[in-house]
Amino acid sequence: MASEPVARAVAEEVARWGAMRQTGVSLRYMMEFGARPTERTLLLAAQFLHKELPIRIARRALDLESLPFGLSSKPAILKVRDWYVDSFRDIRSFPEVRSKEDELAFTQMIKMIRVRHTNVVPTIALGVQQLKKDLGGSKAFPPGIDEIHQFLDRFYMSRIGIRMLIGQHVALHDPDPEPGVIGLINTKMSPMTVARIASEDARAICMREYGSAPDVDIYGDPDFTFPYVTPHLHLMIFELVKNSLRAVQERYMKSDKHAPPVRIIVADGAEDVTIKISDEGGGIPRSGLSRIFTYLYSTAENPPDLDEHNEGVTMAGYGYGIPISRLYARYFGGDLQIISMEGYGTDAYLHLSRLGDSEEPLP
């Protein structure tokens, strides 16, 4: 436990760094910079991160201290804030990166920071769930609750950016990368392959929860590839297919009719790559459509409690799968749209921008 003067000094330094301006990095720069990593380029990248990460992490720590409706004082939120302050302190106490040995040690440290922050999203979701109970459920939300949605959108988008910067730097140390892979960016990613793997993962969860799972049919050109970050696409498709499987399963589990498959269509357009995920799970009422992108809405009857011993994936939980998926799509200039036909089913359109041409700084 830090003494009060030490804690005050850290708080002052967090405030000072949080007021600094962050530097955006474009995807094209990441790809060109990482195409042939050398000792010198890795050293330059580490020096940049040594200055950039404390700014981004400090901003998030400050945000967590000034949330409305008492959210900042929830135990789960305090835990996340402590993770950010610890990470800030780790980076700031690391000496200047001047040699290959320094760079390797720095890389190991930020790798551990990435691990520390693995459960940020479900832990914040737990804090939001605690607030929701305090406010008497979603039907009793006071005016101004939108401020929490806006904060979480900003916070999670920044988190994606921090994890992208750290993950890209760490991945460039892979001594034997796959052909066409630059750090986290796969220049020849097959969306059909990612859709198949993500669907199999989602079906396994459904099977575990219900004892059976609808089929998933995938349509598209199996030879089509484009540059993208594979884990990002996997997360988005996994979340959307998981929702569709649950809707279909729950609609048909007591019916004599065979559950219809979830359909995935991959389309290669001139501007975007679009992936459509369609189900016949009964759809979402029109009154509920506007809420599916907020963080205080979940279609689950009883969201799970999260503690240190229960961090597995469930079929439905806190209601952050869809809004987080939209942020991942928007991070690279894409988007996610949901169109529902109540009484029939739901179509999710995942619009993905082609990576590699953009010189716009990423969030």
Side-chain angles (χ1 to χ4, degrees):
M1 189 82 174
S3 67
E4 200 175 316
V6 171
R8 196 182 307 121
V10 171
E12 286 170 1
E13 196 175 8
V14 167
R16 188 166 63 83
W17 279 79
M20 294 180 190
R21 191 173 183 155
Q22 71 179 50
T23 305
V25 181
S26 74
L27 198 78
R28 174 182 275 190
Y29 180 78
M30 273 193 203
M31 288 175 72
E32 288 175 355
F33 194 81
R36 280 177 290 277
T38 63
E39 208 174 289
R40 182 177 172 277
T41 57
L42 290 172
L43 188 65
L44 288 171
Q47 288 167 347
F48 167 73
L49 292 176
H50 191 248
K51 291 185 177 68
E52 181 65 18
L53 289 175
I55 298 172
R56 295 183 180 222
I57 290 170
R59 285 181 163 199
R60 303 292 70 83
L62 292 171
D63 277 350
L64 288 165
E65 289 176 357
S66 54
L67 298 175
F69 305 107
L71 184 56
S72 291
S73 62
K74 297 286 175 243
I77 304 299
L78 290 170
K79 181 192 275 192
V80 174
R81 191 206 63 196
D82 286 347
W83 290 340
Y84 276 83
V85 171
D86 288 347
S87 298
F88 173 83
R89 198 161 33 194
D90 286 349
I91 299 172
R92 287 294 300 132
S93 62
F94 196 93
E96 261 191 82
V97 182
R98 296 172 183 270
S99 66
K100 181 184 177 182
E101 289 70 28
D102 292 346
E103 190 275 323
L104 290 172
F106 178 80
T107 300
Q108 198 56 37
M109 182 197 61
I110 61 173
K111 190 176 177 180
M112 293 311 297
I113 285 174
R114 200 167 187 264
V115 171
R116 175 188 287 151
H117 290 248
T118 299
N119 285 319
V120 161
V121 176
T123 308
I124 285 191
L126 177 60
V128 172
Q129 186 189 338
Q130 290 164 347
L131 175 68
K132 195 171 167 179
K133 281 182 185 170
D134 291 351
L135 295 175
S138 53
K139 289 177 181 165
F141 288 155
I145 201 76
D146 283 352
E147 202 181 322
I148 288 177
H149 303 313
Q150 290 158 11
F151 156 74
L152 289 171
D153 262 352
R154 278 196 321 273
F155 186 90
Y156 289 143
M157 183 67 94
S158 169
R159 179 178 184 271
I160 293 168
I162 290 169
R163 291 182 78 77
M164 183 72 196
L165 287 175
I166 294 176
Q168 180 70 5
H169 184 74
V170 170
L172 287 175
H173 289 75
D174 185 348
D176 189 25
E178 287 180 40
V181 173
I182 302 170
L184 294 178
I185 304 157
N186 186 346
T187 62
K188 294 179 179 173
M189 186 200 71
S190 163
M192 293 284 287
T193 300
V194 177
R196 180 178 53 76
I197 294 168
S199 299
E200 286 169 1
D201 291 346
R203 286 191 79 245
I205 301 292
C206 187
M207 198 74 77
R208 189 182 74 194
E209 197 98 343
Y210 298 104
S212 64
D215 291 333
V216 179
D217 297 338
I218 306 172
Y219 305 91
D221 179 0
D223 297 323
F224 165 59
T225 65
F226 76 112
Y228 210 75
V229 176
T230 303
H232 287 197
L233 183 58
H234 181 282
L235 178 145
M236 292 184 275
I237 295 178
F238 171 79
E239 287 293 344
L240 294 168
V241 171
K242 179 162 68 80
N243 285 353
S244 288
L245 289 172
R246 183 172 65 87
V248 172
Q249 186 68 22
E250 293 193 349
R251 190 182 190 203
Y252 284 87
M253 62 196 295
K254 293 177 183 172
S255 166
D256 295 334
K257 294 178 183 174
H258 182 69
V262 172
R263 293 180 177 84
I264 301 177
I265 301 170
V266 179
D268 170 20
E271 189 173 312
D272 284 344
V273 174
T274 303
I275 298 173
K276 182 170 90 162
I277 297 165
S278 302
D279 67 59
E280 295 175 39
I284 303 162
R286 195 155 53 97
S287 60
L289 265 179
S290 62
R291 298 205 306 272
I292 62 173
F293 287 109
T294 71
Y295 298 94
L296 292 166
Y297 174 73
S298 173
T299 51
E301 293 294 322
N302 298 298
D305 280 325
L306 177 78
D307 57 38
E308 289 177 12
H309 309 292
N310 177 26
E311 287 165 353
V313 178
T314 57
M315 284 306 282
Y318 299 100
Y320 58 76
I322 288 179
I324 289 281
S325 295
R326 182 167 71 170
L327 290 183
Y328 271 97
R330 287 180 169 179
Y331 181 74
F332 288 127
D335 210 350
L336 170 63
Q337 293 174 305
I338 306 281
I339 297 170
S340 180
M341 184 185 285
E342 189 185 7
Y344 182 76
T346 303
D347 291 344
Y349 291 86
L350 197 51
H351 302 284
L352 307 172
S353 291
R354 294 174 175 278
L355 305 190
D357 298 327
S358 175
E359 294 187 22
E360 285 290 310
L362 296 168

